[in-house]
């Protein structure tokens, strides 16, 4: 399982609506320099050719930084650019179909919002889970919110990495990480920031603080 | 080249906006019974899972009738259902990328609107061309129109099959076919009809009349 060596700690999901006239490649580079450990390209409007060309450009950026690039929804774009993985929502292709074409060496992540979906996704071969939406957000307006208690239950119910997504920012990052999950996934908390690199760095700091805290707690239990 | 054995004469492109509350599978079945020789599933709004499930259902229908099924734009959906082919517009994935994943045994069709694009597409490995838009249509409102003269030039410039698309109906089908092309591609002329089977049959008749006419002319020239 290639997922074990991945660093899910600060997972950036792109959304061009937050960056205004800024160049996405430049924004993502700043985010990576600030500490983003994984990038998911999400593009819901662009024609396939534009999506593909954007993905190609991002791939050469992320490769330079040794940061994995995951494509949202579109198996064909993931195949076309030889992405590191594919992220599927509950309304996207079934995992089995994606796995058949993308192979065992690539990561498949699944969006889930409850324990049943989490267990099901792991059973079907998901490499990690994106759990959300955690907090109210402009990105997915009608998304039902997942409680921290449910997030913790999901983390305990599966053995694959769990990342929380949806409205995560500096103010709630620590209490989200305290559930024992493997990382936080952010969109606007990084991309809507004036200083993207700094925003990523601050989020990363709250994560690292939390990691130390958790490690301490585990040691104590022994 | 698998395309040689294909019958491009009456090529149906789906568009759910024309069928109202009717079931797409039922509509396509009627169209095939009326003489449609090839079906392209075009779906611009549905989430990937819905597109995939629709494609699966259509595939089992078209297989029963030995009619090829082509997927518009989405290489991943074509791969997922093992479709007979993929149709790419100028804003979709490059042919080379699609070919790499879909293989040599599948058909790739390309939308073109001038001679240069046609020659380029053939050079890049297209199996057939969809030329248009020929006439004003509600399907693609801002499409520039292609003249019959350009259609004829395209047909002469390439050796792969050429199908005309865009606003083709009973009233203009014959003069379109008179350019010597291999088939006509229709959307609303079949799908918006009250009696889909009858609409397909009448279009087919105009095509067959034209084929006989052309054959006669060729014999006379000898
Ligand atoms: Ni493949």
């Amino acid at each position: 399982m290639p997922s074990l060596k991945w660093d899910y700690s600060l997972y950036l999901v792109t959304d061009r609506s937050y960056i205004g006239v800024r160049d996405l490649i430049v924004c993502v580079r700043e985010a990576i320099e600030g500490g983003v450990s994984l990038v998911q390209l999400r593009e819901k409007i662009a024609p396939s050719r534009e999506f593909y060309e954007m993905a190609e450009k991002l791939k050469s950026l992320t490769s330079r930084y040794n940061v994995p690039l995951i494509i949202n929804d579109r198996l064909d774009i993931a195949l076309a650019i030889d992405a590191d993985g594919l992220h599927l929502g509950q309304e996207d292709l079934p995992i089995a179909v994606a796995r058949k074409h993308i192979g065992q060496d690539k990561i498949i992540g699944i969006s889930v919002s409850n324990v049943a979906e989490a267990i099901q996704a792991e059973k079907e071969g998901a490499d990690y889970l994106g759990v959300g939406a955690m907090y109210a957000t402009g990105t997915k307006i009608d998304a039902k919110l997942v409680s921290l208690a449910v997030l913790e239950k999901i983390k305990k119910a599966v053995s694959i990495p769990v990342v929380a997504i949806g409205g995560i920012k500096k103010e709630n990052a620590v209490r989200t990480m305290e559930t024992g999950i493997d990382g936080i996934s952010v969109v606007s908390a990084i991309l809507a920031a004036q200083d993207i690199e700094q925003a990523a760095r601050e989020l990363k700091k709250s994560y690292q603080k939390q990691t130390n805290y958790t490690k301490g707690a585990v040691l104590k239990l022994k």
Side-chain angles (χ1 to χ4, degrees), chain A residues 75 79 100-103:
Chain A
L75 168 64
L79 291 171
K100 186 181 161 193
H101 292 281
I102 209 168

Side-chain angles (χ1 to χ4, degrees), chain A residues 16 92 149 153 215:
Chain A
R16 285 197 289 167
D92 298 337
K153 272 186 197 149
K215 274 186 191 154

